[in-house]
């Protein structure tokens, strides 16, 4: 059996002593078992007469054989643990129909828009690939055009590997760097500012790479020279 | 429609118990908990972006399987088969268009989903790990789109992938090796097409499904949609 913490034993003894109207030491001695009874018993009898004479017969009433314990401690439940079981009531709604209906409508709307767009706009298919005829300009898929744009400012190792690699690592590290627990926008102005800055820079670079780069990946204006860009 | 003898054989009465059963007894709907926080169902909170990304993945899988029936990952055949979709196959062009535009849209929805999650602070404890899984999913989405880009084997595909994969060749120290493994050769050619095809239809979808499973499971384990602002 696990050892009962000293302070818990003491608290329990105090409560019992108060209920029975006997001194604490006497109850403690009874709790700690047969061996320790001898010495405190003597003290208890010395101190006992003062509170009430009726306390003594009340104590001896149940006939318990010598050396038999009638109760034991199974576990100690801390007050905190009991409180954690209770959760704050939250305002909840059934997924069916409230969420599922909305998801189904969203799905239908996107499918419809996609089908309509696909009916009127064909996917590009140029002539057969020819490794000997590089088109001018050659552009990566649109989501890499920001990186391709960076290639015209930085060394290829920096723009092609370092920036995207570090960018992805930094993105994944956001929750471990930003230890601010609050989700209120007013508490996280710096985080929002930084993220918005990087998202907008990426968007601007991608736009420039897509629309403002023409022959030889030189700067152009789309309204003057047309768009050198295919999805 | 909800009376006995209707498509619901024993009828359907709208009770809280039956609403729970719809979710609990159905494997397809069981991605969801029975109940969600009230603000979580507001369209303006999530904009359905995560759900739409998943739906687009399913749409792309369905249209992709259709396209696989008519496609050979070999050097002139790939282009010929793709061109033949618009002439020889019923709805072939429409399905190819759906696949291509759906793929571009998925890149956009995944990216927007990430920004939405950031602005709601939904990556904060206990959701840190799920954000990392999400970043992996973004990367896998980009790789799926990039490998698919080569498959029509036209001038656009060849040179876009050449430019894109040149960037991988700038890796310090191992640049040439990385490029060789990625392309299966020194430049984009027949072996690259086969390599990208296998990645696009098998390897990357396999990986992304595993990560999506973890992602969705963690959304529920971490307490569902994040709290109101």
């Amino acid at each position: 059996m696990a050892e009962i913490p000293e302070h818990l034993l003491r608290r329990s003894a105090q409560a019992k002593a108060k209920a029975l109207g006997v001194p604490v030491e006497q109850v403690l001695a009874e709790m700690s078992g047969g061996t320790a009874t001898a010495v405190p018993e003597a003290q208890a009898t010395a101190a006992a007469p003062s509170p009430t004479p009726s306390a003594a017969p009340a104590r001896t009433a149940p006939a318990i054989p010598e050396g038999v314990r009638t109760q034991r401690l199974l576990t100690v439940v801390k007050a905190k643990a009991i409180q954690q079981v209770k959760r704050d009531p939250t305002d909840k709604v059934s997924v069916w129909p409230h969420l599922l209906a909305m998801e189904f409508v969203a799905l239908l709307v996107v499918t419809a828009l996609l089908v309509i767009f696909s009916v009127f706009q064909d996917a590009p298919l140029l002539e057969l690939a020819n490794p000997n005829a590089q088109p001018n300009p050659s552009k990566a898929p649109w989501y890499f055009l920001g990186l391709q744009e960076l290639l015209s400012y930085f060394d290829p190792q920096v723009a092609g590997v370092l920036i995207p690699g570090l960018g992805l690592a930094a993105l994944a590290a956001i929750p471990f760097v930003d230890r601010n627990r609050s989700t209120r926008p007013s508490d996280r102005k710096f985080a929002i500012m930084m993220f918005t800055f990087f998202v907008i820079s990426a968007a601007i670079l991608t736009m420039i790479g897509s629309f403002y780069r023409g022959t030889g990946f030189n700067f152009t204006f789309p309204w003057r020279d047309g768009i050198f860009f295919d999805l | 429609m909800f009376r006995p003898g209707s498509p619901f054989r024993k009828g359907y009465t709208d009770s809280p118990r039956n609403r729970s059963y719809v979710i609990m007894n159905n494997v397809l709907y069981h991605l969801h908990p029975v109940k969600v926080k009230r603000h979580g169902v507001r369209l303006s909170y999530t904009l359905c972006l995560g759900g739409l990304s998943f739906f687009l993945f399913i749409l792309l899988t369905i249209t992709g399987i259709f396209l696989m029936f008519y496609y050979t990952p070999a050097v002139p055949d790939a282009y010929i088969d793709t061109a033949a979709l618009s002439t020889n196959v019923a709805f072939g062009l429409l399905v190819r268009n759906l696949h291509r535009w759906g793929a571009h849209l998925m890149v956009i929805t995944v990216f927007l989903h990430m920004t939405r999650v950031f602005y709601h602070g939904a990556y904060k404890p206990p959701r840190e790990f799920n954000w990392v899984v999400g970043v992996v999913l973004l990367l896998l989405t980009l790789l799926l789109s990039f490998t698919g880009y080569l498959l029509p084997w036209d001038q656009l595909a060849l040179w876009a992938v050449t430019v894109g994969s040149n960037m991988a060749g700038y890796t310090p120290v191992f640049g040439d090796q990385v490029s060789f493994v990625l392309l299966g050769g020194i430049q984009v050619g027949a072996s690259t097409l086969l390599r990208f095809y296998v990645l696009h239809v098998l390897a990357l979808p396999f990986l992304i499904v595993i990560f999506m499973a973890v992602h969705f499971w963690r959304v529920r384990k971490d307490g569902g949609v994040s709290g109101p602002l």
Side-chain angles (χ1 to χ4, degrees), chain B residues 53-75:
Chain B
S53 305
F54 180 49
F55 168 64
L56 284 169
F57 176 78
I58 292 171
L59 188 82
L60 288 169
T61 307
I62 295 168
T63 53
I65 289 171
F66 178 90
L67 293 174
M68 274 177 79
F69 288 129
Y70 302 100
Y71 183 82
T72 320
V75 153

Side-chain angles (χ1 to χ4, degrees), chain A residues 134-141 144-145 147-149 151 160 217, chain B residues 146 149-150 155-170 182-183 188:
Chain A
Q134 179 164 16
N136 187 5
S138 303
K139 287 190 176 183
F144 288 152
L145 279 179
L147 291 178
Q148 200 181 347
E149 175 66 19
L151 273 178
F217 215 66
Chain B
F146 185 65
Y149 218 81
L150 184 65
Q155 279 288 74
L156 178 65
L158 175 70
W159 292 102
V161 168
T162 302
V163 170
S165 50
N166 273 350
M167 290 183 201
Y170 295 132
L182 188 66
L183 301 182
V188 179

Side-chain angles (χ1 to χ4, degrees), chain B residues 14 16 24 38 66 74-76 85 109 116 121-122 129 137 142-143 151 167 173 195 199 215 219 223 228:
Chain B
D14 193 15
M24 284 194 295
R38 186 181 291 277
F66 178 90
V75 153
L85 278 176
T109 54
R116 194 283 294 174
F129 179 70
L137 285 174
L142 288 178
L143 286 177
L151 301 188
M167 290 183 201
V173 189
R195 212 159 267 220
L199 285 174
H215 197 63
V219 167

Side-chain angles (χ1 to χ4, degrees), chain A residues 6-230:
Chain A
E6 185 60 38
H7 67 283
L8 288 174
L9 256 180
R10 181 144 199 95
R11 194 192 298 164
S12 149
Q14 274 165 354
K16 205 169 173 186
K18 196 179 174 190
L20 294 173
V22 293
V24 178
E25 284 75 15
Q26 185 185 334
V27 180
L28 253 180
E30 271 174 22
M31 283 177 143
S32 55
T35 51
T37 33
V39 182
E41 194 72 66
Q43 290 173 349
T45 42
S50 52
T52 42
S54 63
R59 184 165 57 81
T60 52
I64 300 163
E66 189 75 17
V68 174
R69 290 181 170 186
T70 54
Q71 47 182 298
R72 64 199 171 101
L73 187 75
L74 290 175
T75 183
V76 177
V77 181
K78 289 178 182 162
K80 245 186 186 175
I82 299 170
Q83 283 163 354
Q84 276 172 349
V85 175
K86 293 180 180 172
R87 273 200 302 185
D88 295 334
T90 44
D91 193 11
K92 288 194 166 186
V93 292
S94 295
V95 163
W96 166 257
H98 300 288
L99 183 57
L100 279 187
M102 185 174 286
E103 280 179 343
F104 187 61
V105 171
L107 179 157
L108 287 182
V109 167
V110 168
T111 311
L113 290 179
L114 212 54
V115 168
I116 291 168
F117 190 77
S118 298
V119 164
F120 291 106
Q121 184 65 50
D122 285 344
L125 188 68
L126 311 183
E127 60 273 27
L128 176 66
N130 181 358
N132 299 317
Q134 179 164 16
N136 187 5
S138 303
K139 287 190 176 183
W142 64 269
Y143 36 83
F144 288 152
L145 279 179
L147 291 178
Q148 200 181 347
E149 175 66 19
L150 280 178
L151 273 178
S152 45
Y153 306 123
F154 296 107
D155 183 75
Q157 286 203 351
V158 175
V161 182
L162 213 61
I163 292 179
L166 286 180
L168 267 179
L171 202 59
I174 284 178
F176 308 102
V177 175
D178 175 17
R179 303 306 297 181
N180 172 10
R181 293 293 291 258
S182 171
T183 55
R184 294 227 319 277
S186 53
D187 290 341
R188 33 197 305 262
K189 283 177 185 155
F190 181 72
I192 288 177
M193 207 175 65
M194 290 297 282
F195 188 78
T196 310
F197 172 74
F198 281 110
V199 166
I200 290 187
S201 338
I204 289 175
L205 283 173
T206 307
M207 293 296 263
I208 295 177
S210 307
F211 296 109
Y212 293 87
R213 291 288 179 178
T215 317
F217 215 66
N218 291 316
F219 198 83
T220 61
F221 290 106
W223 51 87
R224 194 184 63 197
D225 306 316
I227 292 170
F228 298 87
F229 167 56
D230 229 333

